[in-house]
Amino acid sequence: MSIIRLPTSPAPSNWPADVAGVDGYSSSSNNNNNNNDNNRETSRQEQPNSSWPSDSQNSSISQDLLSRMPFFMDYYTNTLCPSMVFIDGPTNPFRNHILQLAGSSPSLQHAICALSACNLRMRRKLSLGRDTHELTAALMAEKRAAESVPDTSINDQALSEEYQHRNIAVHLLNQQLNDPSKASHDSVLATILLLCHYRMVESGVAKFHTQFAGVAKIISMRKSQGISRTDEPGWMEGLFTHFDAISASINNRDTQLSPASGGMVPEPQLLSIGAENLVGCDRELFKTISKLGRLNLLAQHRPVQAPMTPSSLDEELNRSHSPFGPSLGRVHRGSISGMVVQNEGFNANNHGRFDGNGFGGMLDDEEMMATAARQPGAYEYHRSAFWKEWKEARLALQNWQFDAATVAANLPGSPSQGQMRDLGSLSEAFRYAALIYTERLANPALPSSHPNFQNLVSQVVYYATSLEAGSAAEKFLLWPLFVAGSECVNELQQNIVRTKCRGMMSRSGYMNSLSALDVLERLWASDLKESGARSPGARLPLNAGRRGPFNWAKCIGGAGIDVEWIMF
């Protein structure tokens, strides 16, 4: 295979390469993307454009690579697109909108090909029938070996082809981000979205927090340019918001795309109408779930974006807010590490404090401690804020009801009774998983075997097993299963979670299910949960307070770990 290797252009100084979800890999092309909103096609395209790849790419990229692009575009159209939504149909945005944008976006074309190639590769791996541990080890070894050599030197031709498409997509995306007139184009969001899906197919472990911070910046730029979220791209922005919230809840951080960040719209519009078809969760219920990451940080007295001001909490400061007795914060008082901070948002001229990848990151522990020490009443502020918001979230979760008629009216086509029943069960699984989450925040020392947890775990398992055999709703179950699985002490229920995760993985080819199951297997096989050692009211170790109350925090994240797990 002959490829003309051209110098790579660096990512923009204020954009990390991992905004594209590829952790800063180089690329093998330097083509420019001359997208322009005025040239957007208006006709719907359901099949790959026969002119793909565009002629402008042919002089710098292997003809062998280009010749197979129509195959990968067809695979995306006919295999991946139907699997990315609950109900497929003519309005599936992954097909009609993404392919419309790809018609004039080489970066998006290569992102589609990378995603397709990766999904095909993972399905081949799964067909070999390896067990979870063996497959995980094999994939990690393959990834390390492949990333130690240039993409064109990888022995596995299929893997080499996949990496070339991925790296070309990132290279072209960085060129767009370098140009303010192109950085806010619809195709940029679409390319990042598919590269996020690429990472979920590959492993579900990547620097998602920097990607979402970059998306927040793009959305802020779009707003400043008057690009309304009521247009078609709204579905992509909403999907990023969902990814971000789910990732934040697992990875011990606040959301990057919350209303307070300046990168998104007010709370009532977090997800667009009909978003249930894209995320599998009732959009009203999601409003509460999206706050869980923030609630987790408040419980640990760590910095959060602050929709409330201290004056709004004055009347609360002198009252006990815990329905269970002493405040959660009092158990961890020795590990207070921050204060509520106001996020300044992202915009082209205000870089604020950026992490090593170029986007706003959290203050380090020492700086948070120093900041907290300078703020009178910071501890009481967090204590009051946590219990106030905890009670609001708990009440919202307890009162929520699935409105089948309203949801059905906004889904494509005419959903069957079975489909609506499955979507209702799926949303219930999300609800009970969120209740488990809030229960753990309120009771960080309570063993998983306690009825408070086991009753809720049983509800998640019940609704997860209520779905019809082969239901399209099952692919959205990963977050509820992971949260419930982390508190599973019953072997039968563990086997159900294990079977569900393996089933989702085999049907979708998305290896984020494998990564989630690997964490759960380590929890189940070890004494990490320390359930036998905990007793109600017991004081947790200092490092447990720093990393949060959840069992999975002992297997993922922590000092020096700059990647995140996404459970979607």
Side-chain angles (χ1 to χ4, degrees), residues 134-332:
E134 184 183 0
L135 181 57
T136 300
L139 289 174
M140 290 302 296
E142 182 180 60
K143 182 177 181 180
R144 284 193 296 268
E147 292 177 353
S148 65
V149 298
D151 50 19
T152 54
S153 300
I154 299 173
N155 292 330
D156 185 332
Q157 183 176 353
L159 185 60
S160 172
E161 187 174 29
E162 173 192 323
Y163 275 31
Q164 288 181 70
H165 281 300
R166 179 196 66 187
N167 294 339
I168 293 170
V170 175
H171 176 79
L172 296 175
L173 175 62
N174 283 333
Q175 289 185 337
Q176 290 176 280
L177 296 176
N178 265 317
D179 186 339
S181 68
K182 297 175 181 177
S184 59
H185 194 275
D186 297 356
S187 64
V188 170
L189 282 180
T191 300
I192 298 173
L193 177 61
L194 291 197
L195 288 172
C196 280
H197 269 275
Y198 172 88
R199 279 307 191 193
M200 286 187 275
V201 170
E202 183 192 49
S203 67
V205 182
K207 297 180 181 179
F208 289 108
H209 55 299
T210 59
Q211 297 170 36
F212 300 139
V215 171
K217 184 170 183 178
I218 292 171
I219 294 173
S220 180
M221 292 171 59
R222 291 168 63 89
K223 289 172 63 178
S224 69
Q225 296 171 11
I227 302 176
S228 172
R229 193 172 176 268
T230 59
D231 293 335
E232 282 186 300
W235 72 270
M236 288 190 281
E237 296 172 18
L239 199 49
F240 278 122
T241 303
H242 181 80
F243 289 167
D244 181 38
I246 292 298
S247 183
S249 71
I250 298 298
N251 294 283
N252 208 25
R253 66 167 174 84
D254 203 352
T255 57
Q256 301 278 7
L257 291 166
S258 68
S261 72
M264 289 303 292
V265 294
E267 177 186 277
Q269 299 178 38
L270 282 178
L271 296 179
S272 58
I273 294 175
E276 291 86 354
N277 198 45
L278 302 175
V279 302
C281 176
D282 178 83
R283 65 194 292 259
E284 292 300 317
L285 177 61
F286 175 71
K287 290 180 185 177
T288 303
I289 292 175
S290 69
K291 301 171 185 176
L292 295 180
R294 167 189 170 84
L295 201 57
N296 180 27
L297 295 190
L298 282 174
Q300 301 174 60
H301 307 282
R302 288 180 52 189
V304 294
Q305 299 168 77
M308 298 181 295
T309 62
S311 60
S312 69
L313 291 174
D314 284 346
E315 63 186 40
E316 306 279 342
L317 286 176
N318 296 320
R319 286 185 280 172
S320 172
H321 297 281
S322 171
F324 303 99
S327 127
L328 166 66
R330 196 170 300 281
V331 176
H332 299 288

Side-chain angles (χ1 to χ4, degrees), residues 264-479:
M264 289 303 292
V265 294
E267 177 186 277
Q269 299 178 38
L270 282 178
L271 296 179
S272 58
I273 294 175
E276 291 86 354
N277 198 45
L278 302 175
V279 302
C281 176
D282 178 83
R283 65 194 292 259
E284 292 300 317
L285 177 61
F286 175 71
K287 290 180 185 177
T288 303
I289 292 175
S290 69
K291 301 171 185 176
L292 295 180
R294 167 189 170 84
L295 201 57
N296 180 27
L297 295 190
L298 282 174
Q300 301 174 60
H301 307 282
R302 288 180 52 189
V304 294
Q305 299 168 77
M308 298 181 295
T309 62
S311 60
S312 69
L313 291 174
D314 284 346
E315 63 186 40
E316 306 279 342
L317 286 176
N318 296 320
R319 286 185 280 172
S320 172
H321 297 281
S322 171
F324 303 99
S327 127
L328 166 66
R330 196 170 300 281
V331 176
H332 299 288
R333 189 161 189 166
S335 64
I336 295 175
S337 59
M339 59 170 288
V340 177
V341 295
Q342 193 74 34
N343 184 294
E344 295 181 356
F346 295 94
N347 60 65
N349 300 314
N350 175 22
H351 296 171
R353 282 189 60 89
F354 290 173
D355 64 17
N357 292 295
F359 286 98
M362 288 197 172
L363 302 170
D364 58 38
D365 287 342
E366 292 75 18
E367 192 167 358
M368 288 191 291
M369 290 289 285
T371 303
R374 293 193 297 267
Q375 299 297 321
Y379 168 75
E380 290 300 324
Y381 185 95
H382 275 86
R383 175 174 177 257
S384 297
F386 170 74
W387 287 114
K388 180 179 186 296
E389 295 187 30
W390 184 93
K391 288 193 291 186
E392 290 173 351
R394 187 78 167 195
L395 186 63
L397 291 170
Q398 291 172 336
N399 291 339
W400 172 86
Q401 292 184 336
F402 184 68
D403 186 347
T406 299
V407 173
N410 296 311
L411 291 176
S414 300
S416 68
Q417 289 185 351
Q419 287 173 322
M420 294 310 302
R421 184 170 55 251
D422 281 355
L423 193 54
S425 294
L426 181 59
S427 292
E428 289 286 6
F430 270 92
R431 176 166 75 124
Y432 280 101
L435 285 168
I436 292 173
Y437 196 103
T438 58
E439 190 72 25
R440 179 50 73 194
L441 291 179
N443 294 283
L446 207 60
S448 296
S449 57
H450 194 280
N452 283 15
F453 293 108
Q454 289 311 299
N455 291 338
L456 295 172
V457 168
S458 295
Q459 293 295 331
V460 174
V461 173
Y462 169 79
Y463 283 109
T465 55
S466 296
L467 303 180
E468 292 184 356
S471 172
E474 196 170 64
K475 59 175 162 278
F476 299 110
L477 271 175
L478 188 57
W479 185 81

Side-chain angles (χ1 to χ4, degrees), residues 75 118-136 138-139 142 200-202 498 501-515 517:
Y75 180 83
C118 187
N119 189 256
L120 281 163
R121 178 167 65 92
M122 294 308 172
R123 287 178 183 272
R124 286 194 296 272
K125 300 291 184 184
L126 289 167
S127 69
L128 300 178
R130 293 172 171 171
D131 64 32
T132 301
H133 297 295
E134 184 183 0
L135 181 57
T136 300
L139 289 174
E142 182 180 60
M200 286 187 275
V201 170
E202 183 192 49
R498 183 182 290 116
C501 287
R502 289 174 175 170
M504 288 187 291
M505 182 170 58
S506 64
R507 282 187 288 276
S508 69
Y510 274 58
M511 292 301 179
N512 57 343
S513 295
L514 177 66
S515 298
L517 183 56

Side-chain angles (χ1 to χ4, degrees), residues 72-90:
F72 289 125
M73 301 298 291
D74 182 75
Y75 180 83
Y76 170 81
T77 304
N78 295 306
T79 301
L80 288 180
C81 286
S83 70
M84 295 166 117
V85 295
F86 177 49
I87 301 174
D88 190 28

Side-chain angles (χ1 to χ4, degrees), residues 250 444 519 522-523 526-531 534 540-541 543-545 547-558:
I250 298 298
V519 172
R522 281 185 280 159
L523 285 176
S526 69
D527 196 31
L528 285 175
K529 289 185 286 187
E530 300 173 355
S531 57
R534 291 188 189 180
L540 292 179
N543 64 340
R547 295 184 58 188
F550 298 101
N551 295 326
W552 63 72
K554 300 171 184 178
C555 294
I556 65 177

